[in-house]
Amino acid sequence: MEFKTELKQTFLKYDIELTNVQTEQFETYFNMMIEYNKDVNLTAITNQTDVIIKHFLDSVLCAKDLGENAKLIDVGAGAGLPGIPLKIVRPDLEVTLLDGLNKRIVFLNSVINKLKLTKTTAVHARCEEYARKVEFREQYDYCVARAVAKLNTLAEYCLPFVKLYGYMVAFKSRNAQAEIEEATKALSILGGKLTDIRITDIEEIDAERDILFIQKKFKTPTNYPRLGNKPKTNPL
């Protein structure tokens, strides 16, 4: 099936209606991703249908839950997921794409320029270091992360970026409950509280997407995030 037709039909099943401009942007993004992936590892998923469902649709399932003109940071953005699809569907958002590999940042900047995405910035930095900078710490309404780390580690990466009463939005697969229980201590230390779980059954691939909304209830202590690999090797 032709890309634009498949994209529109798939999104409509989940009550997401795309304009012609948005459809063009997704097609351009897809083509750039596949081409760049030949030289730089962006994704193991390259089949058109799989990219539409597992990457693009999956990334925007929370789009309607985000506040208008919100400021959002995508930690571990990789190929730009979920940040770029969210920006395409919600052009009002101000988006920062953060990744530790410069080759990916080169790709993200090319996508930003080609798609003419306003209020969108790609930053080459480690989140543990970036979140300690006063101009970025607790400055975002939302911090989103997809396929980055387990929730207890992810909370330490994300919550320092989130402003008071903003949200960390974590994309998890079926049965996230075990990770939630394991992250109880981390969330209590870092200032977060799980306030909502949005569950979507993606029938095309017989999968479930659990999107966790964790609200920032109090400021993250200044000694977090810990530097180096401590959040991953020794999670809270």
Side-chain angles (χ1 to χ4, degrees):
M1 189 185 299
E2 194 256 344
F3 180 89
K4 293 176 186 176
T5 302
E6 184 174 6
L7 180 77
K8 279 192 167 185
Q9 289 180 357
T10 302
F11 274 41
L12 274 175
K13 289 182 184 177
Y14 296 86
D15 198 29
I16 301 168
E17 189 170 357
L18 298 174
T19 66
N20 289 335
V21 170
Q22 289 168 330
T23 307
E24 289 278 359
Q25 287 177 315
F26 270 114
E27 183 175 44
T28 300
Y29 179 30
F30 170 71
N31 289 333
M32 292 178 73
M33 184 189 298
I34 298 306
E35 184 60 31
Y36 201 81
N37 200 61
K38 294 176 182 177
D39 299 314
V40 176
N41 181 29
L42 295 174
T43 176
I45 298 171
T46 56
N47 173 269
Q48 175 180 298
T49 298
D50 286 342
V51 170
I52 288 173
I53 297 169
K54 296 179 181 180
H55 280 338
F56 294 167
L57 173 68
D58 185 67
S59 291
V60 302
L61 290 173
C62 67
K64 293 181 180 179
D65 299 308
L66 306 180
E68 191 174 353
N69 298 312
K71 190 174 181 181
L72 176 149
I73 184 167
D74 179 357
V75 166
L81 305 159
I84 288 178
L86 281 171
K87 177 64 181 180
I88 292 173
V89 171
R90 289 286 309 277
D92 60 295
L93 297 175
E94 181 179 341
V95 174
T96 298
L97 305 165
L98 182 69
D99 199 87
L101 185 63
N102 193 55
K103 288 181 179 180
R104 295 193 192 113
I105 297 301
V106 171
F107 168 72
L108 295 174
N109 276 322
S110 67
V111 173
I112 290 167
N113 293 330
K114 186 73 172 179
L115 272 54
K116 297 181 172 59
L117 301 178
T118 60
K119 298 189 299 180
T120 307
T121 308
V123 177
H124 176 222
R126 291 180 62 91
C127 58
E128 306 97 306
E129 298 167 2
Y130 200 66
R132 284 175 168 263
K133 296 179 182 291
V134 66
E135 62 267 41
F136 307 113
R137 188 179 183 87
E138 298 187 326
Q139 296 299 310
Y140 296 88
D141 300 296
Y142 300 96
C143 179
V144 299
R146 179 178 178 271
V148 173
K150 292 180 69 175
L151 189 60
N152 52 0
T153 295
L154 196 61
E156 190 168 353
Y157 289 155
C158 292
L159 280 170
F161 287 110
V162 180
K163 62 175 62 172
L164 204 58
Y165 307 118
Y167 290 87
M168 166 187 166
V169 183
F171 290 63
K172 293 295 177 181
S173 55
R174 192 188 307 268
N175 298 326
Q177 194 58 43
E179 279 194 49
I180 292 170
E181 292 172 4
E182 194 176 16
T184 300
K185 178 184 175 184
L187 294 180
S188 66
I189 290 172
L190 299 165
K193 181 180 180 181
L194 178 66
T195 57
D196 199 4
I197 305 175
R198 307 293 172 83
I199 299 173
T200 303
D201 289 314
I202 305 176
E203 60 183 48
E204 290 85 353
I205 55 172
D206 188 28
E208 176 183 287
R209 170 56 81 193
D210 295 357
I211 301 180
L212 314 183
F213 285 80
I214 297 167
Q215 190 174 38
K216 183 76 159 280
K217 294 292 190 178
F218 60 84
K219 286 182 174 292
T220 302
T222 55
N223 51 321
Y224 299 103
R226 293 166 293 167
L227 295 174
N229 286 321
K230 287 183 180 178
K232 185 171 286 187
T233 59
N234 186 27
L236 295 172

